[in-house]
């Protein structure tokens, strides 16, 4: 079980490493080789199907000159050959601008669902969304 | 398999019916009775744990005088005892305002992950996010 968690966490980390490196081949390897994969980029509508999902990543990576993720609250949960990882993506990115390069930071919360295929954990669903609520979030504490 | 899909779709519909009716008991029955449930309301940070998740719904429902969901693009995918449903929530809601009741509409895209426990599909993860991109979404078509 500990090994499973480590493997799931490695698969989760690889998603962000592939993005940071802008590596299309690594991104393709992250995703399950199935047509029911689906992906929501922050603020986007749903993208479905392997080819469209990978194309969306290629478009995003081609338009990102620099990005770095600091993951916090990484929380894996495994159920047989399925795993859910939720995490906070603390993002530092550079955006090309006519007046020079701007740095931006953002907070995104993501749900990543993996399935194990032939011993490898591959990404089935990625859903990222912008955190718009004030720090600390709405009042739901007990 | 057809029966499975129907049962998953019914579980998915029940989430929204419980919300529309502001019914805390039905909402409690929707969610898996486990502490690794997690929930992202649109624009919110992650909420984890059954009691906090249910409390967040109670707070939201208590502050919603009227809400109606028109679900589109409902897309279920089943893998053993796990199921993912993505859907678009076309939301019509009333918001109390000092100047009277306002109607608002919004588009949210959601990923709902269910697991089957004792023959019942129960919600493990709900992740809803606002669609901020222009209609038709970013250019990722082939």
């Amino acid at each position: 079980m500990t090994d499973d968690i480590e493997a799931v966490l490695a698969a989760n980390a690889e998603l962000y490493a592939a993005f940071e490196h802008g590596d299309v081949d690594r991104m393709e390897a992250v995703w399950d080789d199935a047509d029911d994969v689906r992906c929501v980029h922050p603020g986007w509508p749903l993208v479905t199907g392997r080819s469209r999902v990978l194309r969306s990543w290629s478009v995003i990576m081609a338009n990102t000159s620099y990005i770095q993720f600091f993951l916090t609250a990484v929380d894996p949960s495994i159920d047989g050959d399925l795993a859910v990882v939720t995490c906070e993506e603390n993002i530092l990115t550079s955006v090309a601008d006519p007046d020079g390069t701007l740095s931006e930071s953002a907070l995104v919360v993501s749900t990543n669902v993996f399935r194990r295929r032939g011993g490898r954990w591959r990404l089935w669903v990625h859903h990222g969304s912008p955190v718009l609520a004030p720090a600390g979030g709405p009042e739901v504490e007990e």
Side-chain angles (χ1 to χ4, degrees), chain A:
Chain A
M1 191 62 177
T2 308
D3 287 353
D4 282 352
I5 289 177
E6 280 176 16
V8 166
L9 291 176
N12 192 67
E14 177 63 11
L15 166 65
Y16 298 102
F19 190 175
E20 285 179 343
H21 289 86
D23 190 323
V24 174
D25 292 337
R26 284 173 72 174
M27 187 58 77
E28 286 187 7
V30 164
W31 283 86
D32 194 11
D33 191 12
D35 236 20
D36 67 346
V37 297
R38 46 199 97 184
C39 181
V40 180
H41 301 288
W44 286 38
L46 179 70
V47 180
T48 57
R50 182 172 164 86
S51 65
R52 273 196 296 247
V53 167
L54 291 175
R55 183 171 291 259
S56 75
W57 283 103
S58 294
V59 169
I60 289 172
M61 292 193 294
N63 286 290
T64 305
S65 56
Y66 176 81
I67 193 163
Q68 192 171 3
F69 292 92
F70 301 92
L71 301 184
T72 50
V74 181
D75 186 7
S77 197
I78 299 177
D79 193 311
D81 288 329
L82 271 288
V84 167
V85 181
T86 46
C87 58
E88 297 168 348
E89 307 171 3
N90 303 271
I91 301 172
L92 187 66
T93 185
S94 291
V95 180
D97 189 85
D99 301 327
T101 301
L102 300 174
S103 283
E104 290 186 354
S105 63
L107 177 60
V108 164
V109 58
S110 275
T111 299
N112 298 317
V113 185
F114 296 87
R115 18 182 201 210
R116 183 159 41 190
R117 302 279 203 179
R120 274 195 54 217
W121 291 98
R122 301 184 77 180
L123 191 55
W124 183 16
V125 181
H126 168 74
H127 192 144
S129 65
V131 177
L132 308 172
E139 281 302 319
V140 295
E141 296 301 317
E142 285 161 74

